Amino acid sequence: MRKRITLAVMAIMLCVMTAANAGAEGTQESPTLLWIAGEETEKQWAEMLGFQEPLKSLVAKQHYDSFIDLINDYQPDFFGVDTDMQETPKALYKAGLIEPFAPTSAMLEEIESMSPLIQQVIRNELMTEDGKLLAYPGAGYFICFVPGFIGYWVPDAWAASPFRDITPPSSFEELLDFIEIFLDMPHEGFRLFYGTAGDKREYLSELFRDNLLEGWILRCRVAGIPVVFSDPKFIELAGRAQKLYKRLLKVDFKQKVSTKVRYLLAGRQQYGFSFNQKDTFTCANIIPLRITADQPSLFNVRMVSLQCVRKGSNYASYAPALFETAIPHVEKKRSMTMYDWWVFPDKFNPEEWNQDLKKHNGTKYRYLTKEWLTSISMLDQSIVPCMEKTNWIIESQYGACMRAQHQFWVDGKLTAEEYAAEMDREWAAAISGANDVEMWIEEFPEDTD
């Protein structure tokens, strides 16, 4: 094993030395970067390749609805990918824009130390059949953001509630079914949910809108079918959700979290503690992001900073050595040693995190429990991880999209059919290639009903 590692390291060093000589002699143009984060990375890579100046970072002069078109137009040597906002590395590879590379021994060792969930995502989404990688996480401790589930049901609160004999929801449709029951049954001392920002917009997005839209897009992408909103099932669910949101606002929405009631559901950005800061849960209580219960228990993982090398780049052979500089993925932040808890749950120290929150008057329901961290390692046995782009806003259609969301959910000026048709229109209006239309952000007033 040591011999293989030594040979791999020698090969990498030879590649870097060759590049360094080319850079020093001025015989090769320096590589260009796009969305490779950090001045330190630019400087380090330049030094490794023998260039006196930091590498050049491209700045796109137009807005693009298609990341594929952007790469084709600007031809960067290395580029970063956020898999929730851009096409995934697998999609870019199919489009002929990514050069796979052999992982270094350091990469393989780090992957082996990751949670089973993330290892499975890397194998399924970032690795070719012959074991090469399409991308590797960039520098820094923050590798994953996991928005790919609806939230949690809270077991102790559920068992103590009038709903104890009802099976907790396991899909968006079942969530709506339960909300109807919740509204029709007495439930003194229990609330359904709390929007983490304490306003109606967050309550809407975290419970209804985002779960419906992201779940629908994920369903289509995993099934390999076109994303179409004017589907009878989507229209039915959107109409139900709109009505339930209005009803729930009157009986469940509160601007302040309460420690005197028990919450049946927790948000997906919570890590073990319910909103009352007493009841707890683990990843065994996740409500997966799926539309109906007969679909796979999907868990969409968003990689926030993946580094890729473009197919055809003169620097493709240097990718392993350059990308390896991101290892180890750990940082010092104030008094904490920070690891990504979804990727390295066994290395993350919850006591440090909780003490830091306490010191800075952080919200107590964002405290971490050790049980929640431990449960991450069991996720691959009960849930299907995937990596799909689920962003439902087309950049060039941002203003129209926000207007439609407000008119449907808040004002009720659009029917579910009209809302679905408008979403389809926005997706069809995505611009192929450079988009020179000036974009704007429309602010909408808070609903005061």
Side-chain angles (χ1 to χ4, degrees):
M1 178 67 180
R2 283 186 179 177
K3 186 176 181 180
R4 288 201 302 270
I5 293 173
T6 302
L7 289 173
V9 171
M10 288 175 64
I12 292 167
M13 289 179 65
L14 182 61
C15 286
V16 174
M17 288 173 65
T18 303
N21 290 336
E25 296 170 9
T27 59
Q28 195 166 356
E29 202 172 308
S30 63
T32 54
L33 314 181
L34 178 69
W35 296 342
I36 298 291
E39 292 181 2
E40 283 300 314
T41 298
E42 294 173 0
K43 182 180 178 182
Q44 185 179 15
W45 286 12
E47 290 175 353
M48 289 175 65
L49 295 172
F51 294 102
Q52 301 300 314
E53 299 294 329
L55 302 183
K56 300 174 184 176
S57 289
L58 296 171
V59 178
K61 296 179 180 179
Q62 301 94 9
H63 300 297
Y64 282 78
D65 286 338
S66 168
F67 190 61
I68 289 175
D69 290 327
L70 189 154
I71 298 300
N72 275 324
D73 282 359
Y74 282 86
Q75 297 282 298
D77 292 284
F78 301 101
F79 55 90
V81 175
D82 176 334
T83 60
D84 195 49
M85 302 300 292
Q86 287 96 38
E87 282 79 1
T88 63
K90 186 183 286 186
L92 295 171
Y93 176 58
K94 288 180 180 178
L97 295 177
I98 280 182
E99 180 69 41
F101 57 89
T104 66
S105 57
M107 290 176 182
L108 292 175
E109 288 174 10
E110 187 175 54
I111 291 171
E112 287 177 5
S113 71
M114 294 177 179
S115 67
L117 166 79
I118 302 303
Q119 288 190 50
Q120 191 169 340
V121 170
I122 290 174
R123 285 195 300 269
N124 295 347
E125 306 290 342
L126 299 180
M127 194 170 280
T128 61
E129 290 184 0
D130 59 354
K132 290 184 178 180
L133 288 172
L134 304 179
Y136 203 73
Y141 77 93
F142 186 36
I143 296 174
C144 289
F145 174 59
V146 182
F149 60 103
I150 290 173
Y152 307 87
W153 59 277
V154 183
D156 290 341
W158 202 278
S161 76
F163 313 102
R164 65 181 67 88
D165 294 329
I166 298 174
T167 301
S170 66
S171 66
F172 184 75
E173 185 176 45
E174 289 182 347
L175 174 63
L176 298 187
D177 293 342
F178 176 71
I179 291 173
E180 288 181 346
I181 297 171
F182 176 83
L183 288 167
D184 292 338
M185 280 181 62
H187 50 263
E188 185 177 353
F190 291 86
R191 280 173 53 190
L192 183 73
F193 189 70
Y194 169 79
T196 53
D199 63 40
K200 295 178 184 179
R201 286 168 295 192
E202 293 302 311
Y203 196 82
L204 165 63
S205 64
E206 293 176 17
L207 201 55
F208 292 102
R209 185 194 65 196
D210 290 4
N211 291 327
L212 173 60
L213 293 175
E214 291 176 16
W216 188 262
I217 295 169
L218 186 61
R219 163 193 170 273
C220 294
R221 293 206 187 281
V222 170
I225 60 177
V227 177
V228 176
F229 297 98
S230 294
D231 179 287
K233 191 63 178 179
F234 179 87
I235 292 170
E236 174 205 341
L237 293 173
R240 286 183 64 193
Q242 181 202 48
K243 292 181 177 66
L244 290 173
Y245 168 58
K246 291 290 190 179
R247 287 184 64 192
L248 205 57
L249 280 181
K250 297 176 181 177
V251 300
D252 195 68
F253 171 75
K254 304 289 181 184
Q255 287 189 313
K256 292 184 178 180
V257 70
S258 173
T259 58
K260 298 179 181 179
V261 299
R262 304 184 81 168
Y263 294 86
L264 298 173
L265 303 179
R268 60 190 180 189
Q269 295 183 36
Q270 289 175 259
Y271 318 113
F273 281 101
S274 178
F275 293 113
N276 67 0
Q277 303 159 28
K278 299 167 187 174
D279 292 320
T280 59
F281 53 84
T282 70
C283 290
N285 308 114
I286 278 175
I287 306 172
L289 188 63
R290 56 183 177 176
I291 295 299
T292 55
D294 59 348
Q295 295 167 6
S297 299
L298 297 173
F299 189 82
N300 201 32
V301 176
R302 169 182 163 187
M303 294 280 193
V304 297
S305 179
L306 287 171
Q307 297 175 146
C308 305
V309 57
R310 179 180 55 80
K311 187 175 182 63
S313 167
N314 292 330
Y315 286 91
S317 61
Y318 309 130
L322 298 178
F323 294 169
E324 189 185 75
T325 61
I327 300 173
H329 286 89
V330 59
E331 284 184 42
K332 277 288 186 181
K333 186 177 180 182
R334 296 189 291 272
S335 60
M336 299 179 289
T337 301
M338 294 295 291
Y339 291 90
D340 188 310
W341 49 56
W342 289 105
V343 184
F344 305 108
D346 57 331
K347 295 181 181 180
F348 194 90
N349 188 329
E351 286 78 17
E352 285 185 356
W353 172 267
N354 296 342
Q355 283 298 320
D356 188 73
L357 272 176
K358 183 177 181 180
K359 182 178 179 181
H360 294 89
N361 298 316
T363 308
K364 289 186 178 179
Y365 57 74
R366 293 198 185 277
Y367 280 27
L368 273 157
T369 66
K370 191 171 292 185
E371 292 75 15
W372 180 84
L373 282 168
T374 301
S375 70
I376 291 174
S377 295
M378 305 300 291
L379 272 173
D380 68 317
Q381 300 176 23
S382 60
I383 212 151
V384 181
C386 59
M387 183 190 294
E388 296 290 344
K389 177 183 176 182
T390 57
N391 183 34
W392 42 268
I393 299 176
I394 304 297
E395 237 186 316
S396 63
Q397 304 296 312
Y398 184 90
C401 182
M402 289 294 96
R403 187 183 303 111
Q405 300 304 319
H406 192 81
Q407 287 179 333
F408 176 66
W409 294 104
V410 179
D411 292 342
K413 292 181 179 179
L414 295 178
T415 65
E417 291 84 355
E418 291 169 337
Y419 174 57
E422 172 58 20
M423 289 294 295
D424 282 338
R425 186 203 66 76
E426 291 164 9
W427 275 57
I431 296 173
S432 178
N435 168 22
D436 293 318
V437 177
E438 183 178 349
M439 296 193 307
W440 70 98
I441 296 176
E442 295 190 30
E443 294 293 337
F444 295 104
E446 175 74 4
D447 180 25
T448 56
D449 292 343

